[in-house]
Amino acid sequence: MAELAALDDPKARAVNEKHGDDHGVNLGKLRALAKRLKTQQELAVELWATGDTAARLLALLICRPKAFTRDELDAMLREARAPKVHDWLVNYVVKKSPHAEELRLAWSADPDPVVASAGWALTTERVAKKPEGLDLAGLLDVIEAAMKDAPDRLQWAMNHCLAQIGIEHPEHRARAIGIGERLEVLKDYPTPPGCTSPYAPVWITELVRRRQDRK
């Protein structure tokens, strides 16, 4: 904790706080610290228990994802209100857990939009890597009905799923683009030069074009 405190940079904290993350540790330095510590499940659990955002990010880098029970992961997600902690927990830990599919189903139906956004993130992973058994048309129905008025984090996660369906599954591409055009979610999102817009019709078209160019 003392080492993390020493890494805290007020400028980094100011930038992170704009994104809802209450920590000031450079993530490159955090990853270097994790590399030095290597995997330490017990230390990871202790770091998580502090409630400190930087400590929790470090915990997620040095833990053993398969060591957590389903209930532990569920409790951790509900505690993880800082966006970066939430994202790293889902991407670095839950996706590698044997409980990922069970949690995907439970979280997707949760009334808390932040919890539900984690379910949609896991669904997006399946759309890309293991779509067998997913009702893609049904997912598009839900997105079409609910994404426009969803809270920010949930809306972002649904939009990512919409784009992924359009990118990965040509038979659903026209409908995915059509939904994006009608709902106009993130249409005016400020996109830096050289980056792809998160507006689904642009995102889908650009990624498909790049894949075709590589062939």
Side-chain angles (χ1 to χ4, degrees):
M1 292 305 291
E3 197 164 347
L4 285 172
L7 290 174
D8 197 275
D9 175 356
K11 288 182 182 175
R13 181 174 286 277
V15 171
N16 290 332
E17 284 177 347
K18 289 180 183 174
H19 302 289
D21 288 308
D22 56 340
H23 76 94
V25 179
N26 175 282
L27 295 181
K29 291 179 179 176
L30 194 73
R31 290 181 189 280
L33 177 55
K35 196 173 180 181
R36 197 183 83 222
L37 291 169
K38 299 189 171 64
T39 302
Q40 295 192 48
Q41 178 65 13
E42 286 184 19
L43 177 58
V45 170
E46 290 176 12
L47 286 167
W48 183 271
T50 66
D52 178 79
T53 295
R56 286 187 161 182
L57 291 172
L58 181 59
L60 297 171
L61 293 174
I62 66 169
C63 72
R64 270 199 305 279
K66 293 178 181 175
F68 294 108
T69 67
R70 178 215 178 277
D71 288 348
E72 283 172 334
L73 290 172
D74 183 66
M76 288 166 74
L77 186 88
R78 292 172 192 281
E79 292 173 12
R81 305 319 279 189
K84 186 66 73 178
V85 174
H86 181 278
D87 291 345
W88 281 20
L89 175 61
V90 172
N91 287 301
Y92 297 169
V93 181
V94 179
K95 284 181 181 178
K96 298 174 185 175
S97 163
H99 310 293
E101 180 60 14
E102 187 184 348
L103 289 169
R104 180 185 79 82
L105 294 170
W107 289 345
S108 296
D110 199 276
D112 182 332
V114 177
V115 174
S117 74
W120 279 93
L122 294 173
T123 299
T124 302
E125 174 89 347
R126 272 204 59 189
V127 166
K129 296 184 177 175
K130 285 201 302 182
E132 300 78 17
L134 281 180
D135 177 7
L136 297 176
L139 287 172
L140 289 175
D141 289 343
V142 175
I143 291 167
E144 189 167 24
M147 182 171 76
K148 181 78 171 177
D149 298 318
D152 287 353
R153 296 274 288 285
L154 179 55
Q155 185 184 70
W156 189 272
M158 284 182 158
N159 184 69
H160 190 178
C161 191
L162 173 67
Q164 204 70 51
I165 291 172
I167 292 161
E168 302 288 346
H169 301 280
E171 69 276 21
H172 295 287
R173 187 168 295 150
R175 185 180 174 204
I177 290 172
I179 290 170
E181 287 173 345
R182 279 195 303 283
L183 299 185
E184 298 189 334
V185 167
L186 301 175
K187 185 176 183 179
D188 300 320
Y189 191 83
T191 306
C195 295
T196 304
S197 168
Y199 175 49
V202 173
W203 191 354
I204 294 166
T205 305
E206 176 62 16
L207 268 288
V208 170
R209 183 191 65 75
R210 285 186 204 172
R211 288 185 181 184
Q212 289 169 343
D213 287 350
R214 286 201 295 267
K215 287 180 181 176

